[in-house]
Amino acid sequence: MNRLVLRKKICYNIISESRLWSKRLGKIRKIIHLILDNPLNFINKQYTNYYITFLLTDDVRIKKLNKRYKKIFKPTDVLIFTTSQKINENKKIRI
C-alpha cells in the first residue's frame, strides 16, 4: 500500500492587542499547537503552505473588524479570512 505523503509548511503569528490575553498566552499556544499538529485540519491537497495569524483582541476591536469586513454589527468570538495565491502553475499557498 502506497501512501501519498504531503509536506506541509505552516507558519503562524500570534498578535495580542489587549492586555486581557497576556495571562492566557501559554494556554493559547498549547491549543494552537494541538490544532496545527493535527493533519486532518489540513487535508486540502492543493495547498502545501499555510500562513496563519491569530489576533487576540477585545470586543471593541473585533466589532470594528466585523463591521468593516463582514458587515456584522456586533462582536463575535472568531473572525476568519481566507485567500489563496498561486506561486507558479503547480503550487498554491493558502493565506
Side-chain angles (χ1 to χ4, degrees):
M1 174 195 225
N2 291 334
R3 292 191 332 172
L4 178 64
V5 177
L6 295 174
R7 298 260 180 212
K8 302 282 185 189
K9 178 181 174 186
I10 303 170
C11 300
Y12 73 93
N13 294 309
I14 300 173
I15 300 171
S16 178
E17 289 187 341
S18 173
R19 287 185 238 165
L20 300 171
W21 294 103
S22 61
K23 295 177 185 175
R24 301 178 186 140
L25 272 177
K27 187 174 183 177
I28 291 167
R29 283 179 213 261
K30 288 179 187 178
I31 292 168
I32 289 172
H33 282 256
L34 286 173
I35 293 167
L36 299 182
D37 288 342
N38 185 348
L40 295 177
N41 292 325
F42 302 94
I43 58 173
N44 193 332
K45 292 180 180 157
Q46 68 178 338
Y47 302 110
T48 56
N49 297 325
Y50 292 85
Y51 298 89
I52 304 167
T53 299
F54 297 92
L55 173 64
L56 307 175
T57 190
D58 57 17
D59 282 347
V60 173
R61 175 80 165 126
I62 199 79
K63 184 176 178 181
K64 287 179 185 177
L65 292 170
N66 274 330
K67 182 178 177 183
R68 181 174 181 182
Y69 295 107
K70 301 289 185 174
K71 307 299 183 229
I72 298 171
F73 300 97
K74 62 181 181 178
T76 56
D77 290 340
V78 177
L79 182 59
I80 298 171
F81 300 97
T82 62
T83 187
S84 61
Q85 289 184 326
K86 203 170 210 179
I87 294 175
N88 61 36
E89 55 192 58
N90 297 323
K91 194 173 185 183
K92 282 178 135 183
I93 63 170
R94 187 137 199 196
I95 300 176

